[in-house]
């Protein structure tokens, strides 16, 4: 029996809801990079957008969003890998060849995403980490859980220690003025290129920024892998009692919010000593992973309790088309901000970016609902599955019905 894409009736609704919520959270974070040079801005020792409403928007995004949803998507990716392997086993088909094609196609999409639209692509990273899961997905579920816990804790401590040593050695303050000046120059250079440059100049800048961002590619892989392992663990365990979920909910809230609140507390010391940057490092790495688990538990518990059913249905639409929505977010946002569109790059701060992200996502919800009433999957999902399985799955529904 040939391995084929998952059918509508085989889908797990709560996973689609999580994907939809994660896509919105990722857009909120990415909007700062779509609309302006976020990397050099974050590297400054002071707030570039220093209006109180922008400062507090940044603080709230760092606590509730930054690092919390890319990790959630990593969890879902790991969960999906185990489901795919189980379906292959049920049909007595080899899993690895199909999965390798799937990852290769994902890698190609990621490369095209970087070249044509945006440097902050995550698909390339997911393609590589997914390959590592070929080693891990067969492991017993408790081994996956323990390995994930050890990795996320060790990685977070390592990154936090690097930050702490950078500050306590005196290096940070010694070169702070020089670094701020270099970052300001890079900010102005990026604004000029993205708001006025040709498509080729913008593409060259994208490649430069992607290369700079991924200098420590292996470190980033280590940071994402634990959430893949947690997702694989959850897929193998599959059954979680409400009591167990509530315990995990409370534990992840304490660990996640407790880690994330530290940079908020030490925010007044930003650029002055080690406290803020060190707390931010721990909060982003460890806190982000724990907050994503807290969100996952919250979604499952609310879904089981029948709460916010109508709202969740909207997220389910976008989640079923997560791949299409993720890439179209880049197309829409770069058209708004880059020179070949409206050229608004560098014009707006974080608060305006939140409103723009909300508007884009609202349009995606409406479009996803409309599309799925007529078609079985998103357009780019159809391309991805066609190239993965070597067969065109049915796209158009036999008759129009409510998705």
């Amino acid at each position: 029996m040939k391995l084929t894409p998952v059918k509508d009736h085989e889908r797990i609704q709560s996973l689609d809801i999580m994907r939809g919520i994660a896509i919105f959270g990722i857009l909120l974070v990415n909007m700062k990079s779509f609309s302006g040079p976020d990397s050099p801005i974050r590297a400054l020792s002071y707030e570039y957008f220093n209006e109180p409403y922008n400062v507090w928007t940044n603080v709230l995004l760092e606590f509730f969003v930054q690092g919390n949803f890319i990790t959630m998507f990593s969890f879902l990716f790991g969960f999906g890998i185990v489901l795919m392997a189980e379906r292959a086993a049920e049909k007595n088909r080899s899993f690895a060849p199909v999965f390798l094609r799937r990852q290769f196609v994902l890698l190609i999409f990621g490369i095209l995403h970087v070249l044509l639209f945006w440097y902050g692509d995550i698909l390339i990273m997911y393609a590589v980490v997914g390959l590592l899961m070929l080693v891990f997905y067969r492991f017993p579920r408790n081994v996956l859980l323990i390995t994930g816990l050890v990795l996320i804790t060790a990685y977070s401590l390592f990154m936090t220690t690097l930050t702490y040593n950078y500050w306590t050695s005196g290096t940070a303050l010694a070169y702070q003025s020089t670094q701020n000046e270099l970052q300001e120059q890079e900010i102005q250079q990026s604004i000029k290129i993205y708001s006025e440059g040709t498509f080729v100049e913008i593409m060259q800048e994208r490649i430069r920024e992607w290369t700079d961002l991924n200098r420590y590619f292996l470190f980033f892989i280590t940071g994402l892998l634990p959430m893949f392992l947690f997702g694989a663990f959850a897929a193998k365990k599959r059954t979680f009692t409400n009591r167990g979920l509530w315990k995990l909910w409370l534990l992840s809230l304490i660990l996640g919010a407790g880690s994330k609140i530290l940079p908020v507390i030490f925010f007044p010391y930003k650029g002055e000593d080690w406290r803020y940057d060190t707390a931010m490092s721990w909060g982003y790495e460890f806190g982000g992973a724990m907050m994503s688990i807290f969100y996952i538990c919250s979604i499952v518990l609310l879904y089981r309790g029948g709460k916010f059913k109508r709202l969740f249905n909207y997220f389910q639409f976008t989640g079923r088309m997560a791949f299409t929505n993720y890439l179209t977010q880049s197309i829409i946002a770069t058209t708004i901000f880059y020179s070949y569109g409206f050229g608004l790059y560098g014009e707006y701060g974080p608060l305006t970016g939140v409103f723009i992200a909300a508007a884009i996502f609202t349009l995606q919800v409406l479009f996803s609902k409309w599309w799925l009433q007529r078609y079985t999957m998103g357009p780019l999902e159809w391309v991805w599955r066609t190239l993965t399985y070597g067969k065109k799955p049915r796209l158009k529904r036999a008759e129009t019905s409510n998705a």
Side-chain angles (χ1 to χ4, degrees):
M1 186 179 294
K2 190 172 183 179
L3 192 59
T4 57
V6 65
K7 302 293 191 300
D8 276 2
H9 68 275
E10 298 175 313
R11 301 191 68 90
I12 301 175
Q13 290 185 341
S14 57
L15 295 183
D16 287 329
I17 292 167
M18 290 180 204
R19 289 188 187 97
I21 293 173
I23 281 293
F24 181 45
I26 288 171
L27 176 60
L28 286 171
V29 171
N30 289 349
M31 186 53 63
K32 293 196 292 182
S33 295
F34 286 138
S35 63
D38 187 54
S39 293
I41 285 175
R42 289 174 66 84
L44 292 170
S45 65
Y46 50 85
E47 292 296 303
Y48 184 79
F49 295 102
N50 57 9
E51 303 86 354
Y53 56 86
N54 276 322
V55 172
W56 277 105
T57 299
N58 259 334
V59 170
L60 292 174
L61 285 173
E62 291 287 353
F63 184 88
F64 289 104
V65 185
Q66 189 82 37
N68 303 351
F69 290 99
I70 186 175
T71 44
M72 183 188 290
F73 225 92
S74 301
F75 174 96
L76 294 169
F77 207 105
F79 197 107
I81 290 171
V82 171
L83 291 185
M84 188 177 176
E86 288 177 351
R87 289 182 63 247
E90 288 171 2
K91 297 184 178 184
N92 199 29
R93 299 290 299 180
S94 178
F95 167 65
V98 175
F99 183 71
L100 288 172
R101 285 199 302 273
R102 180 178 185 259
Q103 295 305 103
F104 178 73
V105 174
L106 186 65
L107 177 64
I108 297 301
F109 269 110
I111 293 171
L112 291 175
H113 187 208
V114 171
L115 292 176
L116 301 178
F117 298 107
W118 188 53
Y119 76 94
D121 168 81
I122 193 60
L123 302 180
I124 295 174
M125 192 79 67
Y126 280 177
V128 175
V129 178
L131 293 179
L132 294 178
M133 288 300 293
L134 280 176
V135 176
F136 288 101
Y137 84 93
R138 294 179 182 274
F139 287 8
R141 67 190 190 196
N142 287 339
V143 174
L144 293 171
L145 177 62
I146 293 170
T147 304
L149 289 171
V150 170
L151 280 177
I152 191 60
T153 304
Y155 176 76
S156 301
L157 285 172
F158 176 74
M159 298 301 289
T160 304
T161 301
L162 284 181
T163 305
Y164 175 78
N165 288 340
Y166 177 68
W167 273 95
T168 56
S169 67
T171 304
L173 288 175
Y175 293 97
Q176 189 174 86
S177 296
T178 302
Q179 288 299 316
N180 283 337
E181 184 177 340
L182 290 173
Q183 301 304 336
E184 286 281 4
Q185 290 174 2
E186 185 174 341
I187 290 168
Q188 296 309 313
Q189 173 187 312
S190 293
I191 291 174
K192 182 175 179 60
I193 292 174
Y194 282 113
S195 63
E196 301 175 12
T198 65
F199 184 86
V200 172
E201 289 172 334
I202 289 174
M203 183 171 68
Q204 291 172 339
E205 180 70 1
R206 268 198 301 267
I207 294 171
R208 183 195 68 79
E209 288 186 301
W210 184 89
T211 303
D212 187 59
L213 182 66
N214 290 276
R215 283 178 298 174
Y216 306 107
F217 192 79
L218 293 178
F219 284 109
F220 296 152
I221 288 175
T222 306
L224 285 180
L225 180 58
M227 292 306 297
F228 277 70
L229 297 177
F230 293 153
F233 162 80
K236 290 197 172 192
K237 182 175 173 61
R238 197 68 57 89
T239 302
F240 290 82
T241 64
N242 279 359
R243 183 179 180 183
L245 279 175
W246 276 114
K247 288 181 178 180
L248 184 57
W249 179 89
L250 181 59
L251 178 62
S252 57
L253 173 62
I254 293 171
L255 294 175
S259 299
K260 282 279 189 171
I261 199 64
L262 293 175
V264 177
I265 295 172
F266 295 126
F267 182 76
Y269 302 98
K270 181 177 181 178
E272 295 183 6
D273 62 26
W274 61 271
R275 282 174 284 189
Y276 173 77
D277 279 355
T278 304
M280 177 62 77
S281 182
W282 177 260
Y284 178 81
E285 304 297 351
F286 188 80
M290 295 302 106
M291 285 294 284
S292 72
I293 295 173
F294 166 71
Y295 287 156
I296 289 167
C297 292
S298 299
I299 293 166
V300 173
L301 288 167
L302 288 170
Y303 179 78
R304 286 183 178 180
K307 307 293 185 183
F308 306 110
K309 186 174 181 180
R310 186 174 180 179
L311 177 62
F312 279 158
N313 281 339
Y314 286 120
F315 282 113
Q316 184 181 339
F317 295 134
T318 53
R320 289 180 61 183
M321 292 175 52
F323 189 53
T324 294
N325 284 322
Y326 171 72
L327 290 173
T328 53
Q329 285 172 1
S330 296
I331 296 171
I332 295 169
T334 53
T335 300
I336 293 171
F337 294 108
Y338 289 5
S339 63
Y340 48 75
F342 296 99
L344 299 177
Y345 190 84
E347 294 289 328
Y348 300 110
L351 181 59
T352 303
V354 168
F355 288 122
I356 294 173
I360 291 173
F361 188 74
T362 299
L363 292 175
Q364 290 190 311
V365 169
L366 296 174
F367 176 75
S368 297
K369 181 179 180 181
W370 176 87
W371 181 273
L372 289 172
Q373 286 174 339
R374 292 157 178 81
Y375 302 95
T376 59
M377 65 188 74
L380 293 182
E381 280 78 5
W382 183 84
V383 174
W384 189 13
R385 293 181 185 190
T386 297
L387 295 174
T388 295
Y389 294 98
K391 178 183 178 181
K392 295 180 181 179
R394 181 170 59 87
L395 180 60
K396 190 172 179 60
R397 293 188 182 277
E399 59 182 24
T400 301
S401 61
N402 289 330

